[in-house]
Amino acid sequence: MPFSRSANLSRRGLLAAGGALGLGALVTACGGKGGSASGKDDGWSFTDDRRQKVTAASRPKRIVAYTGTAAALHDLGLGDQIVGVFGPTKLKDGKPDPMAGDLDIGKLTIIGNAYGEFDIEKYAALKPDLLVTNMFQPGALWFVPDDSKNTILKLAPSVGITVSGVPLPQPLQRYVDLAESLGADTRARKVTDARARFEAAAEKLRGAAKANGRIKVMAASASADLLYVCDPKVYTDLSYFRSLGVDFVMPDKVQGGFFENLSWENANKYPADLILLDSRTAAVQSDFLTSKPAWTNLPAVKAHQVLPWQSEPRMSYAGCAPMVEALATAVQKAKKVS
């Protein structure tokens, strides 16, 4: 779940893609069509989830974005306008990080590949027209370092989209709004087919949850020392899955608004039939956990009812549809074991 194993729980909570409490009102106030692009004479503007009207003399053509954000915008038809990315992009073996989706990372300038990395000189050299990223806390632009953000934000306008504390369809629509303002044809067959697939997957999940309602699901991440049980109320995808009827474990000692951390001796605190395990490259995975009896003895693990979970979804219909389909199938097939 974390990208860095620091003691800073609030930061670590964000790295868990947990989001922040109390953001619903903020994004509701900014909901609906937030952008406009009427041509060079009238300029371009978009009201983001900071309630800031972001403006430019003309529609931005050179976009630098957080990797997952860039991948979402690519899915929506803006691939040619993305020139740089920051965030998990390239694995140690040179292959694209799963966060990169369908981006051709060989054609992009990577100005930072991990948390805290942001090469300002590379960024400036790209002559960016716009910076785009997610927000997990009001006003906090994801992966833009606090100690250099003032310098970074002077180089180009920026847009932040809230991706926590709100149900998944909301940020998905906000990215559609942004893409439209930037000139994407969001009524293109590729986009509408992806949306139809997402909506069909959601209905499949609703049906699976209703038919197999006794199944208890736990979303978690792991480190060498701790199991982090996520609070589904603040995760944009999990809160949406709850609304479709999925019964999640609700941790009762949440720290920092995101998760409860359990020592491995207490990993069996919450009975669960199906475990969603954070699959991001910065999180400890199942192959490492096989050496931990506290993990292998969990009923869901014994029953092989563990589903990889990209706990920071790619905010496009194309990015989210496979995730919803996989959960629907897992819920449908899961047996009661706890």
Side-chain angles (χ1 to χ4, degrees):
M1 191 171 290
F3 290 105
S4 61
R5 310 288 181 184
S6 72
N8 186 331
L9 287 178
S10 62
R11 177 61 66 190
R12 195 211 167 284
L14 291 180
L15 294 174
L21 299 172
L23 298 183
L26 170 63
V27 181
T28 299
C30 300
K33 297 290 183 181
S36 64
S38 55
K40 291 184 178 180
D41 291 338
D42 295 333
W44 172 87
S45 68
F46 183 84
T47 302
D48 75 353
D49 291 347
R50 295 171 295 183
R51 289 186 281 193
Q52 292 184 10
K53 186 175 183 179
V54 185
T55 61
S58 60
R59 180 181 287 160
K61 295 181 179 179
R62 298 180 62 79
I63 299 170
V64 175
Y66 174 61
T67 304
T69 295
L73 293 175
H74 177 277
D75 291 340
L76 293 167
L78 291 177
D80 292 341
Q81 289 163 251
I82 299 166
V83 296
V85 291
F86 54 96
T89 306
K90 184 183 291 186
L91 302 176
K92 291 180 179 179
D93 61 5
K95 295 179 180 178
D97 188 283
M99 190 78 70
D102 293 330
L103 290 172
D104 184 348
I105 64 172
K107 294 182 178 179
L108 300 172
T109 297
I110 300 172
I111 60 176
N113 198 58
Y115 189 79
E117 294 179 0
F118 196 109
D119 190 318
I120 298 176
E121 290 186 3
K122 279 188 178 181
Y123 179 58
L126 286 173
K127 298 181 179 178
D129 296 325
L130 184 68
L131 181 149
V132 186
T133 188
N134 296 329
M135 294 194 304
F136 291 95
Q137 288 181 321
L141 298 177
W142 189 226
F143 266 65
V144 175
D146 289 339
D147 59 358
S148 55
K149 67 179 180 181
N150 291 338
T151 300
I152 292 167
L153 297 181
K154 288 177 181 177
L155 296 172
S158 61
V159 164
I161 300 295
T162 295
V163 295
S164 67
V166 295
L168 183 59
Q170 192 158 314
L172 290 178
Q173 183 59 49
R174 291 293 283 151
Y175 271 111
V176 169
D177 295 344
L178 175 60
E180 286 180 350
S181 83
L182 292 168
D185 179 7
T186 59
R187 288 174 290 279
R189 181 68 179 271
K190 176 184 176 182
V191 179
T192 58
D193 282 356
R195 183 166 191 158
R197 180 182 174 186
F198 172 82
E199 291 172 348
E203 288 308 308
K204 181 181 177 182
L205 179 57
R206 189 194 304 275
K210 184 176 181 180
N212 207 3
R214 296 173 61 243
I215 297 301
K216 180 73 76 171
V217 181
M218 181 172 71
S221 186
S223 70
D225 302 316
L226 297 170
L227 180 69
Y228 302 92
V229 180
C230 302
D231 181 354
K233 297 191 301 297
V234 296
Y235 288 71
T236 185
D237 55 343
L238 302 184
S239 64
Y240 180 56
F241 301 154
R242 285 185 74 212
S243 75
L244 297 175
V246 178
D247 185 13
F248 279 96
V249 166
M250 303 295 291
D252 57 24
K253 293 183 179 179
V254 174
Q255 298 185 24
F258 310 116
F259 52 84
E260 177 176 356
N261 54 324
L262 299 175
S263 62
W264 281 109
E265 305 91 85
N266 297 310
N268 62 352
K269 176 178 178 179
Y270 297 108
D273 306 296
L274 173 64
I275 297 175
L276 306 186
L277 184 66
D278 187 358
S279 64
R280 290 178 302 168
T281 52
V284 168
Q285 304 301 312
S286 293
D287 54 354
F288 174 87
L289 296 175
T290 56
S291 63
K292 288 188 173 294
W295 169 256
T296 57
N297 287 332
L298 293 176
V301 178
K302 284 184 175 181
H304 304 289
Q305 295 181 171
V306 178
L307 180 68
W309 169 48
Q310 187 71 19
S311 65
E312 192 178 335
R314 189 165 98 234
M315 293 300 168
S316 68
Y317 296 109
C320 289
M323 171 182 71
V324 182
E325 290 170 346
L327 179 59
T329 299
V331 170
Q332 194 174 49
K333 293 181 177 180
K335 306 295 183 183
K336 186 69 178 175
V337 293
S338 64

